PDB file of all heavy atoms in Angstrom:
ATOM      1  N   ALA T 957     -19.646  37.796 -47.025  1.00 98.00           N
ATOM      2  CA  ALA T 957     -19.004  39.052 -46.637  1.00 98.00           C
ATOM      3  C   ALA T 957     -17.932  39.384 -47.659  1.00 98.00           C
ATOM      4  O   ALA T 957     -17.295  38.487 -48.221  1.00 98.00           O
ATOM      5  CB  ALA T 957     -18.400  38.961 -45.247  1.00 98.00           C
ATOM      6  N   LEU T 958     -17.739  40.669 -47.896  1.00 98.00           N
ATOM      7  CA  LEU T 958     -16.716  41.165 -48.802  1.00 98.00           C
ATOM      8  C   LEU T 958     -15.663  41.894 -47.995  1.00 98.00           C
ATOM      9  O   LEU T 958     -15.998  42.726 -47.136  1.00 98.00           O
ATOM     10  CB  LEU T 958     -17.336  42.117 -49.833  1.00 98.00           C
ATOM     11  CG  LEU T 958     -16.352  42.836 -50.744  1.00 98.00           C
ATOM     12  CD1 LEU T 958     -15.675  41.861 -51.695  1.00 98.00           C
ATOM     13  CD2 LEU T 958     -17.058  43.949 -51.514  1.00 98.00           C
ATOM     14  N   TYR T 959     -14.394  41.597 -48.281  1.00 98.00           N
ATOM     15  CA  TYR T 959     -13.266  42.226 -47.592  1.00 98.00           C
ATOM     16  C   TYR T 959     -12.311  42.825 -48.614  1.00 98.00           C
ATOM     17  O   TYR T 959     -12.118  42.269 -49.699  1.00 98.00           O
ATOM     18  CB  TYR T 959     -12.478  41.183 -46.794  1.00 98.00           C
ATOM     19  CG  TYR T 959     -13.253  40.564 -45.670  1.00 98.00           C
ATOM     20  CD1 TYR T 959     -14.066  39.452 -45.892  1.00 98.00           C
ATOM     21  CD2 TYR T 959     -13.173  41.066 -44.376  1.00 98.00           C
ATOM     22  CE1 TYR T 959     -14.789  38.873 -44.858  1.00 98.00           C
ATOM     23  CE2 TYR T 959     -13.886  40.493 -43.335  1.00 98.00           C
ATOM     24  CZ  TYR T 959     -14.686  39.393 -43.584  1.00 98.00           C
ATOM     25  OH  TYR T 959     -15.400  38.828 -42.554  1.00 98.00           O
ATOM     26  N   SER T 960     -11.703  43.946 -48.262  1.00 98.00           N
ATOM     27  CA  SER T 960     -10.543  44.430 -49.005  1.00 98.00           C
ATOM     28  C   SER T 960      -9.314  43.898 -48.279  1.00 98.00           C
ATOM     29  O   SER T 960      -9.318  43.766 -47.054  1.00 98.00           O
ATOM     30  CB  SER T 960     -10.521  45.956 -49.087  1.00 98.00           C
ATOM     31  OG  SER T 960     -10.320  46.516 -47.808  1.00 98.00           O
ATOM     32  N   VAL T 961      -8.285  43.580 -49.040  1.00 97.00           N
ATOM     33  CA  VAL T 961      -7.066  43.005 -48.474  1.00 97.00           C
ATOM     34  C   VAL T 961      -5.885  43.834 -48.963  1.00 97.00           C
ATOM     35  O   VAL T 961      -5.725  44.036 -50.169  1.00 97.00           O
ATOM     36  CB  VAL T 961      -6.898  41.526 -48.907  1.00 97.00           C
ATOM     37  CG1 VAL T 961      -5.643  40.936 -48.301  1.00 97.00           C
ATOM     38  CG2 VAL T 961      -8.122  40.710 -48.526  1.00 97.00           C
ATOM     39  N   GLY T 962      -5.094  44.329 -48.023  1.00 93.00           N
ATOM     40  CA  GLY T 962      -3.947  45.142 -48.406  1.00 93.00           C
ATOM     41  C   GLY T 962      -2.949  45.256 -47.284  1.00 93.00           C
ATOM     42  O   GLY T 962      -2.981  44.479 -46.324  1.00 93.00           O
ATOM     43  N   ALA T 963      -2.087  46.244 -47.393  1.00 88.00           N
ATOM     44  CA  ALA T 963      -1.049  46.462 -46.382  1.00 88.00           C
ATOM     45  C   ALA T 963      -1.658  46.742 -45.012  1.00 88.00           C
ATOM     46  O   ALA T 963      -1.056  46.449 -43.986  1.00 88.00           O
ATOM     47  CB  ALA T 963      -0.149  47.629 -46.809  1.00 88.00           C
ATOM     48  N   HIS T 964      -2.875  47.274 -44.994  1.00 86.00           N
ATOM     49  CA  HIS T 964      -3.587  47.589 -43.751  1.00 86.00           C
ATOM     50  C   HIS T 964      -4.223  46.342 -43.134  1.00 86.00           C
ATOM     51  O   HIS T 964      -4.833  46.415 -42.078  1.00 86.00           O
ATOM     52  CB  HIS T 964      -4.655  48.639 -44.029  1.00 86.00           C
ATOM     53  CG  HIS T 964      -5.607  48.219 -45.113  1.00 86.00           C
ATOM     54  ND1 HIS T 964      -5.309  48.392 -46.440  1.00 86.00           N
ATOM     55  CD2 HIS T 964      -6.811  47.608 -45.071  1.00 86.00           C
ATOM     56  CE1 HIS T 964      -6.313  47.917 -47.178  1.00 86.00           C
ATOM     57  NE2 HIS T 964      -7.232  47.435 -46.379  1.00 86.00           N
ATOM     58  N   GLY T 965      -4.107  45.215 -43.812  1.00 94.00           N
ATOM     59  CA  GLY T 965      -4.738  43.974 -43.349  1.00 94.00           C
ATOM     60  C   GLY T 965      -6.012  43.713 -44.116  1.00 94.00           C
ATOM     61  O   GLY T 965      -6.156  44.116 -45.267  1.00 94.00           O
ATOM     62  N   LYS T 966      -6.955  43.087 -43.452  1.00 96.00           N
ATOM     63  CA  LYS T 966      -8.220  42.703 -44.067  1.00 96.00           C
ATOM     64  C   LYS T 966      -9.327  43.528 -43.418  1.00 96.00           C
ATOM     65  O   LYS T 966      -9.468  43.527 -42.203  1.00 96.00           O
ATOM     66  CB  LYS T 966      -8.423  41.210 -43.809  1.00 96.00           C
ATOM     67  CG  LYS T 966      -9.467  40.546 -44.610  1.00 96.00           C
ATOM     68  CD  LYS T 966      -9.204  39.042 -44.579  1.00 96.00           C
ATOM     69  CE  LYS T 966     -10.414  38.247 -44.290  1.00 96.00           C
ATOM     70  NZ  LYS T 966     -10.179  36.816 -44.376  1.00 96.00           N
ATOM     71  N   VAL T 967     -10.108  44.235 -44.244  1.00 97.00           N
ATOM     72  CA  VAL T 967     -11.167  45.111 -43.751  1.00 97.00           C
ATOM     73  C   VAL T 967     -12.496  44.680 -44.359  1.00 97.00           C
ATOM     74  O   VAL T 967     -12.614  44.591 -45.590  1.00 97.00           O
ATOM     75  CB  VAL T 967     -10.887  46.590 -44.112  1.00 97.00           C
ATOM     76  CG1 VAL T 967     -12.037  47.486 -43.680  1.00 97.00           C
ATOM     77  CG2 VAL T 967      -9.574  47.044 -43.488  1.00 97.00           C
ATOM     78  N   ARG T 968     -13.485  44.404 -43.512  1.00 98.00           N
ATOM     79  CA  ARG T 968     -14.800  44.026 -44.033  1.00 98.00           C
ATOM     80  C   ARG T 968     -15.494  45.260 -44.587  1.00 98.00           C
ATOM     81  O   ARG T 968     -15.655  46.267 -43.903  1.00 98.00           O
ATOM     82  CB  ARG T 968     -15.664  43.384 -42.957  1.00 98.00           C
ATOM     83  CG  ARG T 968     -16.970  42.838 -43.550  1.00 98.00           C
ATOM     84  CD  ARG T 968     -17.706  41.980 -42.599  1.00 98.00           C
ATOM     85  NE  ARG T 968     -18.552  42.843 -41.774  1.00 98.00           N
ATOM     86  CZ  ARG T 968     -19.474  42.387 -40.943  1.00 98.00           C
ATOM     87  NH1 ARG T 968     -19.650  41.091 -40.780  1.00 98.00           N
ATOM     88  NH2 ARG T 968     -20.192  43.218 -40.242  1.00 98.00           N
ATOM     89  N   LEU T 969     -15.917  45.150 -45.844  1.00 98.00           N
ATOM     90  CA  LEU T 969     -16.594  46.249 -46.524  1.00 98.00           C
ATOM     91  C   LEU T 969     -18.101  46.094 -46.514  1.00 98.00           C
ATOM     92  O   LEU T 969     -18.823  47.083 -46.497  1.00 98.00           O
ATOM     93  CB  LEU T 969     -16.115  46.344 -47.983  1.00 98.00           C
ATOM     94  CG  LEU T 969     -14.619  46.549 -48.188  1.00 98.00           C
ATOM     95  CD1 LEU T 969     -14.288  46.511 -49.672  1.00 98.00           C
ATOM     96  CD2 LEU T 969     -14.162  47.855 -47.555  1.00 98.00           C
ATOM     97  N   LYS T 970     -18.569  44.846 -46.543  1.00 98.00           N
ATOM     98  CA  LYS T 970     -20.006  44.621 -46.635  1.00 98.00           C
ATOM     99  C   LYS T 970     -20.324  43.183 -46.233  1.00 98.00           C
ATOM    100  O   LYS T 970     -19.570  42.272 -46.504  1.00 98.00           O
ATOM    101  CB  LYS T 970     -20.486  44.873 -48.070  1.00 98.00           C
ATOM    102  CG  LYS T 970     -21.989  44.785 -48.242  1.00 98.00           C
ATOM    103  CD  LYS T 970     -22.428  45.266 -49.611  1.00 98.00           C
ATOM    104  CE  LYS T 970     -23.938  45.317 -49.687  1.00 98.00           C
ATOM    105  NZ  LYS T 970     -24.414  45.843 -50.958  1.00 98.00           N
ATOM    106  N   ALA T 971     -21.474  43.017 -45.599  1.00 98.00           N
ATOM    107  CA  ALA T 971     -22.047  41.691 -45.337  1.00 98.00           C
ATOM    108  C   ALA T 971     -23.410  41.669 -46.007  1.00 98.00           C
ATOM    109  O   ALA T 971     -24.115  42.683 -46.039  1.00 98.00           O
ATOM    110  CB  ALA T 971     -22.170  41.437 -43.844  1.00 98.00           C
ATOM    111  N   ASP T 972     -23.785  40.523 -46.573  1.00 98.00           N
ATOM    112  CA  ASP T 972     -25.050  40.422 -47.285  1.00 98.00           C
ATOM    113  C   ASP T 972     -25.516  38.973 -47.265  1.00 98.00           C
ATOM    114  O   ASP T 972     -24.852  38.106 -46.697  1.00 98.00           O
ATOM    115  CB  ASP T 972     -24.874  40.909 -48.729  1.00 98.00           C
ATOM    116  CG  ASP T 972     -26.141  41.487 -49.335  1.00 98.00           C
ATOM    117  OD1 ASP T 972     -27.248  41.190 -48.833  1.00 98.00           O
ATOM    118  OD2 ASP T 972     -26.030  42.236 -50.320  1.00 98.00           O
ATOM    119  N   GLN T 973     -26.649  38.746 -47.898  1.00 98.00           N
ATOM    120  CA  GLN T 973     -27.225  37.403 -48.010  1.00 98.00           C
ATOM    121  C   GLN T 973     -27.897  37.319 -49.371  1.00 98.00           C
ATOM    122  O   GLN T 973     -28.536  38.287 -49.812  1.00 98.00           O
ATOM    123  CB  GLN T 973     -28.245  37.171 -46.901  1.00 98.00           C
ATOM    124  CG  GLN T 973     -28.831  35.783 -46.884  1.00 98.00           C
ATOM    125  CD  GLN T 973     -29.635  35.539 -45.618  1.00 98.00           C
ATOM    126  OE1 GLN T 973     -29.252  35.974 -44.545  1.00 98.00           O
ATOM    127  NE2 GLN T 973     -30.732  34.836 -45.748  1.00 98.00           N
ATOM    128  N   THR T 974     -27.766  36.179 -50.037  1.00 98.00           N
ATOM    129  CA  THR T 974     -28.359  36.036 -51.359  1.00 98.00           C
ATOM    130  C   THR T 974     -29.879  35.926 -51.271  1.00 98.00           C
ATOM    131  O   THR T 974     -30.432  35.421 -50.298  1.00 98.00           O
ATOM    132  CB  THR T 974     -27.800  34.811 -52.093  1.00 98.00           C
ATOM    133  OG1 THR T 974     -28.031  33.633 -51.320  1.00 98.00           O
ATOM    134  CG2 THR T 974     -26.313  34.962 -52.368  1.00 98.00           C
ATOM    135  N   ASP T 975     -30.539  36.408 -52.330  1.00 98.00           N
ATOM    136  CA  ASP T 975     -31.997  36.363 -52.407  1.00 98.00           C
ATOM    137  C   ASP T 975     -32.461  35.045 -53.030  1.00 98.00           C
ATOM    138  O   ASP T 975     -31.654  34.125 -53.226  1.00 98.00           O
ATOM    139  CB  ASP T 975     -32.527  37.575 -53.175  1.00 98.00           C
ATOM    140  CG  ASP T 975     -32.055  37.638 -54.626  1.00 98.00           C
ATOM    141  OD1 ASP T 975     -31.579  36.619 -55.182  1.00 98.00           O
ATOM    142  OD2 ASP T 975     -32.172  38.727 -55.227  1.00 98.00           O
ATOM    143  N   ALA T 976     -33.733  34.945 -53.356  1.00 98.00           N
ATOM    144  CA  ALA T 976     -34.302  33.707 -53.895  1.00 98.00           C
ATOM    145  C   ALA T 976     -33.668  33.293 -55.214  1.00 98.00           C
ATOM    146  O   ALA T 976     -33.679  32.109 -55.574  1.00 98.00           O
ATOM    147  CB  ALA T 976     -35.811  33.874 -54.075  1.00 98.00           C
ATOM    148  N   ASP T 977     -33.076  34.244 -55.934  1.00 98.00           N
ATOM    149  CA  ASP T 977     -32.410  33.954 -57.200  1.00 98.00           C
ATOM    150  C   ASP T 977     -30.915  33.691 -57.009  1.00 98.00           C
ATOM    151  O   ASP T 977     -30.177  33.576 -57.987  1.00 98.00           O
ATOM    152  CB  ASP T 977     -32.635  35.110 -58.178  1.00 98.00           C
ATOM    153  CG  ASP T 977     -32.307  34.743 -59.604  1.00 98.00           C
ATOM    154  OD1 ASP T 977     -32.540  33.582 -60.012  1.00 98.00           O
ATOM    155  OD2 ASP T 977     -31.809  35.623 -60.333  1.00 98.00           O
TER     156      ASP T 977
END
Side-chain angles (χ1 to χ4, degrees):
L958 173 68
Y959 295 87
S960 67
V961 181
H964 56 277
K966 194 161 133 175
V967 176
R968 187 169 86 171
L969 302 176
K970 185 170 187 177
D972 208 340
Q973 184 170 321
T974 58
D975 62 17
D977 195 35

